């Protein structure tokens, strides 16, 4: 099944929403027995066999080329005997090749909030939950934002986020949830801007709306790329440039990354940074 903008045409037993292939037969052995996967990926077509029998097929898969990943969603999982046989190249075009994200380093371990300052009242708001971390809704008080322990100068920040429900109007009018740059709450990128969408830079002088509303629906994941060079910022949201070359007057030359809290529940995942 495709996620994060990938596409696929499912075959066989298909989900009700038409987005994924379900196995035509349950061939999984119970724990603690071992199961065997045999996956063939060829020219945008995926065929998966479980314990000796093909059970799912996906065609016209994009991206066709990229990295392999092992995923676990909270329970213990064991893997062994990983082997790969590369097939002759089909000359996958660049537009069907996944982004490599070379040079990006994680700012979130996927296990806890190490690397972030969670002292004092902020500890009541922020918590790690499996592969992402969240802000608890409805907490009152000051000093509830979350700051990275490390400081940065010029960088590209990748962060996935989603709102679990529509932001409260009062919170949004006060500035709303945002990502602060270089340790300065006055230099921030807005999340959930009312009517205009996310990705607009805000300073004490002005809040600049994004060029286009590229937000996914409430409850769906979004991906920011925030590029900061000097006092200029460029923001890409869900593969659309929503702000470009906006000047952040008074932004410090160096500082941590901040997550501003305004009472909404927001989930974050896949937080990576590439220093320039």
């Amino acid at each position: 099944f495709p996620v994060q903008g990938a596409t696929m045409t499912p075959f066989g037993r298909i989900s009700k929403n038409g987005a994924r292939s379900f196995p035509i037969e349950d061939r999984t052995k119970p724990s603690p027995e071992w199961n065997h996967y045999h996956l063939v990926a060829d020219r945008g077509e995926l065929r998966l066999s479980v314990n000796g029998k093909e059970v799912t097929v996906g065609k016209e898969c994009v991206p066709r080329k990229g990295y392999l990943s092992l995923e676990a969603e909270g329970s213990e999982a064991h893997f062994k005997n990983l082997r790969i046989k590369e097939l002759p190249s089909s000359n996958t075009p660049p537009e069907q090749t996944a982004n490599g994200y070379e040079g990006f380093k994680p700012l979130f371990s996927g296990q806890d909030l190490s690397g972030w300052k969670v002292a004092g009242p902020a500890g009541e708001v922020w918590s790690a939950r499996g592969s992402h971390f969240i802000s608890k809704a409805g907490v009152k008080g000051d000093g509830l934002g979350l700051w990275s322990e490390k400081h940065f100068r010029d960088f590209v920040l990748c962060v996935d986020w989603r709102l679990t429900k529509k932001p409260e109007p009062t919170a949004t009018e006060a500035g709303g949830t945002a990502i602060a740059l270089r340790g300065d709450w006055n230099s921030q990128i807005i999340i959930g801007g009312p009517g205009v969408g996310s990705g607009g830079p805000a300073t004490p002088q002005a809040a600049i709306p994004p060029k286009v509303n590229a937000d996914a629906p409430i409850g769906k994941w979004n991906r920011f790329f925030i590029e900061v060079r000097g006092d200029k910022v460029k923001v890409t949201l869900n593969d659309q440039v929503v702000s470009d070359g906006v000047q952040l007057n008074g932004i410090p030359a160096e500082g941590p990354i901040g997550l501003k809290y305004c009472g909404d529940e927001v989930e974050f995942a896949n937080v990576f940074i590439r220093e320039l």
Side-chain angles (χ1 to χ4, degrees):
F1 60 95
V3 297
Q4 289 290 356
T7 58
M8 182 194 79
T9 301
F11 277 79
R13 184 167 164 251
I14 303 173
S15 63
K16 291 182 180 179
N17 63 7
R20 65 181 293 172
S21 294
F22 287 129
I24 59 174
E25 179 182 334
D26 183 4
R27 298 181 56 78
T28 308
K29 298 177 182 179
S31 177
E33 295 186 60
W34 285 96
N35 295 276
H36 181 72
Y37 269 17
H38 183 263
L39 177 64
V40 178
D42 190 17
R43 294 172 171 78
E45 183 173 291
L46 295 172
R47 293 183 173 271
L48 174 64
S49 296
V50 177
N51 296 324
K53 183 176 179 179
E54 185 175 281
V55 293
T56 51
V57 176
K59 297 184 178 181
E60 299 171 340
C61 298
V62 177
R64 284 168 46 187
K65 181 180 180 181
Y67 290 104
L68 303 179
S69 173
L70 302 179
E71 181 180 8
E73 296 184 342
S75 59
E76 183 174 336
H78 294 198
F79 298 89
K80 69 176 184 179
N81 297 334
L82 276 74
R83 298 181 176 89
I84 190 167
K85 176 184 178 182
E86 292 191 74
L87 302 176
S89 173
S90 58
N91 298 314
T92 303
E95 63 270 17
Q96 294 185 3
T97 300
N99 291 326
Y101 300 134
E102 288 86 356
F104 281 86
K105 297 180 179 179
L107 285 181
F108 174 54
S109 69
Q111 298 176 329
D112 54 39
L113 294 176
S114 57
W116 296 82
K117 298 178 181 179
V118 204
E124 185 182 351
V125 172
W126 301 94
S127 62
R129 182 185 295 171
S131 62
H132 53 284
F133 62 98
I134 65 170
S135 62
K136 180 181 177 182
V139 180
K140 305 295 184 180
D142 299 322
L144 301 178
L146 189 67
W147 288 105
S148 68
E149 292 180 350
K150 186 173 179 181
H151 289 213
F152 303 94
R153 296 182 68 86
D154 290 355
F155 58 83
V156 179
L157 177 70
C158 170
V159 56
D160 292 348
W161 59 270
R162 67 176 174 181
L163 294 164
T164 59
K165 63 179 181 179
K166 188 175 180 180
E168 294 292 336
T170 53
T172 302
E173 289 165 2
T177 303
I179 297 176
L181 309 174
R182 295 199 192 133
D184 183 14
W185 287 129
N186 292 321
S187 301
Q188 55 184 322
I189 305 300
I190 298 297
I191 290 177
V196 297
S198 304
T203 67
Q205 293 77 31
I208 302 171
K211 295 179 178 180
V212 61
N213 187 339
D215 289 34
I218 298 294
K220 299 295 184 180
W221 284 99
N222 299 268
R223 172 162 290 182
F224 266 152
F225 282 97
I226 302 171
E227 180 178 328
V228 179
R229 293 178 183 268
D231 61 356
K232 300 288 199 309
V233 63
K234 175 181 178 181
V235 182
T236 302
L237 174 59
N238 299 329
D239 297 324
Q240 296 189 62
V241 176
V242 295
S243 300
D244 193 5
V246 177
Q247 186 169 5
L248 299 174
N249 294 319
I251 185 173
E254 181 177 330
I257 304 297
L259 302 179
K260 182 182 177 184
Y261 178 74
C262 283
D264 300 313
E265 179 175 291
V266 186
E267 300 183 3
F268 295 91
N270 297 324
V271 186
F272 291 86
I273 195 163
R274 177 165 61 91
E275 296 184 73
L276 303 175

